[in-house]
Amino acid sequence: DEMHWAYVQNHLLEVVDGDLVEIEAGVIVQSHQIPKRDGSTDKGPRTIKIESLLVSRYEVTQAVWRALIGKSPSPTEGSRLPVFGVSWQDCQLFLSLLNQAAGAKKLYRLPTEAEWEYAARGGIEGGTYPWGGPYVISDTGCFMANFKPQRGDYAADAALYTVEAKSFEPNE
């Protein structure tokens, strides 16, 4: 209805845009495999130029998802929990509605694989870990980026359940 759409256009876009950070342009070197016609593959690094872009610092919350889609697909529900259990098609619908709300002001999209990796690394080329910093454990004792050296011991980072978005610091 019109009142709901006015809320989305006036409030929700502010919430979404408030979490965006600019990632400066740069390059990333990715390893890749190129399939050849004979079935073999060429392996080697590939340098990809990344244009500057805006990326959300945090996951999309179920409250934001529900405001656009009407319901959350996540089995564990909570307004401040991240949305999970969605397909690529679900995300495209979400982005389509978000772009419709924004009008011509902005275009929201998923980052490419290279953009995502570049943003996660914080622009640090050749870093030991993909989150940009040199440490496996944060200042609060949590493992970074679901990095589990104890083979999936989620108790070690106090995340035996889905934690609220914005519970952890963003990558460096």
Side-chain angles (χ1 to χ4, degrees):
D1 74 355
E2 288 184 38
M3 284 185 60
H4 173 76
W5 198 242
Y7 164 81
V8 168
Q9 290 178 308
N10 294 324
H11 178 69
L12 187 63
L13 291 175
E14 289 177 22
V15 171
V16 171
D17 288 349
D19 286 340
L20 297 178
V21 293
E22 183 175 4
I23 306 300
E24 295 179 10
V27 296
I28 185 168
V29 177
Q30 287 186 316
S31 296
H32 70 292
Q33 296 182 354
I34 301 172
K36 294 167 80 176
R37 289 185 182 173
D38 66 3
S40 65
T41 57
D42 278 341
K43 297 178 184 177
R46 169 174 83 154
T47 301
I48 302 167
K49 182 179 179 188
I50 305 293
E51 301 295 330
S52 67
L53 70 148
L54 295 173
V55 175
S56 182
R57 203 177 287 223
Y58 302 106
E59 304 94 338
V60 172
T61 64
Q62 292 182 30
V64 170
W65 187 275
R66 266 195 303 272
L68 279 176
I69 304 293
K71 62 180 181 168
S72 172
S74 305
T76 304
E77 292 199 28
S79 294
R80 297 187 339 188
L81 294 177
V83 173
F84 60 97
V86 295
S87 68
W88 182 86
Q89 289 85 0
D90 295 333
C91 292
Q92 294 308 307
L93 173 61
F94 175 83
L95 291 167
S96 174
L97 292 170
L98 194 59
N99 285 324
Q100 193 176 346
K105 296 180 224 164
K106 196 173 270 174
L107 177 64
Y108 297 92
R109 64 176 178 83
L110 292 173
T112 65
E113 180 183 356
E115 290 169 338
W116 180 258
E117 184 176 341
Y118 180 75
R121 289 183 181 275
I124 298 173
E125 186 58 46
T128 306
Y129 302 111
W131 49 85
Y135 306 106
V136 175
I137 297 177
S138 72
D139 294 342
T140 59
C142 294
F143 284 109
M144 308 284 276
N146 290 327
F147 181 74
K148 307 287 188 246
Q150 285 92 18
R151 302 178 147 278
D153 183 3
Y154 288 93
D157 73 351
L160 294 172
Y161 52 90
T162 305
V163 296
E164 292 181 356
K166 303 182 184 183
S167 292
F168 300 105
E169 291 296 315
N171 294 354
E172 296 178 357

